[in-house]
């Protein structure tokens, strides 16, 4: 963010912004798009299958599967609101995104990330109740409460991130239109503003929203796993400890896949505007948006035999060797 030169006119609503490719070279970006397309197809097919199976199978309407279906749906939406535009950038060299489309994409990215964070917290609570209070699991976690958690996650995310587009709409942009990523993020748009004063509310509110949603959720997930770890270590036998810990493995993988790139992206945004280390900014942002949607169906498909067996059954195939739950 810099003060505008004297001969540059500032505008409130520029016609468009320019997206940045992965490598900065058109030929390399063209070939990098193929593995990205493969990852996107894995995300769409895998998460779509999870949503379909959980919705269709009444036996999977338990809270832990409902939370998994919510997570898959959010990941599917998050990948879909970014990947098609990225592929258009890499294959067609379509680097321009309209002002309104950029604000809309920014809103969906941040709001869906907030929903995913809340769902991950709900899944951590599910694991806490299952391990630490197993006799009360059925009473504490019901289908109706799981549905309320999902609605609450959406309402909470909307409450925090819906103000972002109107706040960005008040900023003045001049001269620069090059974004640091192949999609629109709130932090990225603020760095292009040419007047420091109007960006202060954006910076304060954006930081507060991240801390009160993702930051608070991450802290509560961490605390819940400290309690779970203490409960697991109190189990009498090694076999029981391993069995209890294994039920949390898939969720821990998803938590790390979501929060580690998020923290890394937040740190590099605080250190610079992306012009000095563009590859680092783009790589972390792509990991943040693509890693959870891709890992979710792989991790849970491998860990949850119920999902895998019912998916195969619904497409007319049966597993060759059923596994014990």
């Amino acid at each position: 963010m810099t003060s505008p030169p004297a001969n540059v006119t500032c505008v409130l609503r520029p016609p468009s912004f320019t997206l940045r490719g992965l490598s900065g070279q058109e030929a390399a970006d063209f070939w990098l798009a193929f593995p990205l397309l493969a990852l996107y197809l894995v995300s769409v097919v895998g998460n779509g299958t999870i949503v379909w199976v959980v919705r269709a199978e009444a036996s999977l309407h338990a809270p832990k599967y409902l939370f998994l279906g919510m997570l898959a749906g959010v990941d599917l939406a998050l990948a879909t609101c970014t990947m098609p535009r990225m592929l258009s950038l890499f294959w067609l060299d379509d680097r321009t995104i309209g002002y309104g489309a950029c604000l809309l994409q920014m809103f969906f990215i941040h709001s869906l990330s907030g929903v995913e964070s809340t769902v991950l917290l709900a899944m951590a609570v599910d694991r806490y109740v299952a391990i630490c209070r197993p006799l009360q699991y059925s009473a504490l976690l019901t289908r109706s409460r799981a549905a309320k958690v999902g609605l609450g996650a959406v309402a909470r995310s909307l409450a925090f991130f819906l103000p972002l587009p109107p706040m960005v709409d008040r900023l003045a942009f001049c001269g620069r239109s090059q974004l640091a990523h192949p999609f629109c993020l709130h932090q990225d748009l603020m760095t292009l503003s040419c007047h420091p004063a109007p960006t202060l509310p954006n910076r304060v509110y954006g930081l507060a929203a991240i801390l009160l949603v993702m930051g608070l959720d991450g802290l509560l997930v961490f605390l819940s796993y400290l309690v779970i770890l203490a409960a697991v270590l109190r189990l009498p036998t090694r076999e029981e400890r391993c069995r209890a810990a294994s039920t949390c493995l898939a969720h821990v993988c998803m938590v790390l896949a979501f929060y580690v790139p998020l923290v890394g992206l937040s740190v590099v945004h605080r250190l610079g505007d992306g012009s000095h280390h563009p590859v680092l900014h783009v790589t972390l942002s792509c990991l943040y948006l693509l890693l959870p949607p891709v890992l979710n169906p792989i991790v849970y498909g491998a860990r949850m035999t119920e999902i895998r067996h019912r998916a195969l059954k619904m497409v007319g195939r049966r597993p060759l060797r059923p596994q014990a739950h």
Side-chain angles (χ1 to χ4, degrees), residues 38-118:
L39 293 177
Y40 177 57
L41 293 177
V42 169
S43 173
V44 170
V45 174
N47 289 298
T49 300
I50 291 176
V51 172
W52 173 49
V53 171
V54 172
R55 183 178 181 274
E57 284 286 333
S59 60
L60 296 181
H61 290 178
K64 73 172 182 176
Y65 297 113
L66 293 176
F67 291 143
L68 176 58
M70 294 175 197
L71 184 66
V74 173
D75 282 339
L76 183 60
L78 191 58
T80 301
C81 78
T82 54
M83 275 304 302
R85 189 63 188 81
M86 289 174 62
L87 294 175
S88 174
L89 165 65
F90 299 147
W91 277 334
L92 304 178
D93 198 30
D94 183 10
R95 298 180 177 273
T96 301
I97 183 171
Y99 177 77
C102 186
L103 294 189
L104 185 63
Q105 187 184 61
M106 175 198 71
F107 165 72
F108 277 119
I109 289 174
H110 290 294
S111 60
L112 289 171
S113 297
V115 175
E116 178 156 2
S117 177
T118 306

Side-chain angles (χ1 to χ4, degrees), residues 3 7 10 32 52 64 85 91 95 119 124 131 153 185 195 199 238 243 246 267 271 276 314:
S3 297
N7 60 343
C10 294
L32 285 172
W52 173 49
K64 73 172 182 176
R85 189 63 188 81
W91 277 334
R95 298 180 177 273
V119 172
I131 293 174
L185 296 176
H195 289 297
T199 64
R238 185 172 182 271
R243 185 167 60 251
S246 68
V267 170
L271 297 179
H276 300 295
M314 291 174 69

Side-chain angles (χ1 to χ4, degrees), residues 23-268:
S23 66
Q25 301 179 3
E26 294 181 14
D29 285 345
F30 178 85
W31 293 109
L32 285 172
F34 285 97
L36 288 178
L37 174 62
L39 293 177
Y40 177 57
L41 293 177
V42 169
S43 173
V44 170
V45 174
N47 289 298
T49 300
I50 291 176
V51 172
W52 173 49
V53 171
V54 172
R55 183 178 181 274
E57 284 286 333
S59 60
L60 296 181
H61 290 178
K64 73 172 182 176
Y65 297 113
L66 293 176
F67 291 143
L68 176 58
M70 294 175 197
L71 184 66
V74 173
D75 282 339
L76 183 60
L78 191 58
T80 301
C81 78
T82 54
M83 275 304 302
R85 189 63 188 81
M86 289 174 62
L87 294 175
S88 174
L89 165 65
F90 299 147
W91 277 334
L92 304 178
D93 198 30
D94 183 10
R95 298 180 177 273
T96 301
I97 183 171
Y99 177 77
C102 186
L103 294 189
L104 185 63
Q105 187 184 61
M106 175 198 71
F107 165 72
F108 277 119
I109 289 174
H110 290 294
S111 60
L112 289 171
S113 297
V115 175
E116 178 156 2
S117 177
T118 306
V119 172
L120 287 172
L121 173 59
M123 297 174 80
V125 173
D126 175 85
R127 292 298 85 207
Y128 161 76
V129 176
I131 293 174
C132 300
R133 305 175 69 178
L135 298 180
Q136 298 173 294
Y137 183 89
S138 299
L140 293 176
L141 290 177
T142 62
R143 296 178 187 177
S144 61
R145 286 182 178 175
K148 290 177 182 177
V149 168
L151 292 175
V154 174
R156 179 193 188 209
S157 191
L158 288 176
F160 276 100
F161 295 109
L162 193 58
L164 289 184
M167 294 180 73
V168 172
D169 196 46
R170 297 174 56 249
L171 300 179
F173 300 91
C174 45
R176 299 183 303 164
S177 64
Q178 177 70 60
L179 298 173
H181 308 284
F183 35 76
C184 297
L185 296 176
H186 181 244
Q187 305 96 313
D188 208 0
L189 292 174
M190 286 191 298
T191 62
L192 298 182
S193 177
C194 49
H195 289 297
T199 64
L200 183 59
N202 270 276
R203 292 181 178 275
V204 172
Y205 185 84
L207 180 61
I210 293 294
L211 290 177
L212 292 175
V213 179
M214 287 79 155
L216 180 59
D217 291 347
L219 176 62
L220 293 176
V221 168
F222 176 73
L223 293 177
S224 68
Y225 270 104
L226 287 181
V227 178
I228 290 173
L229 179 61
V232 169
L233 292 177
R234 287 196 299 267
L235 293 174
T237 67
R238 185 172 182 271
E239 181 182 356
E240 289 178 311
R241 290 193 293 269
C242 291
R243 185 167 60 251
S246 68
T247 63
C248 303
L249 184 60
H251 182 253
V252 170
C253 290
M254 293 308 303
V255 167
L256 293 176
F258 179 80
Y259 284 105
V260 171
L262 173 62
V263 172
L265 188 61
S266 299
V267 170
V268 297

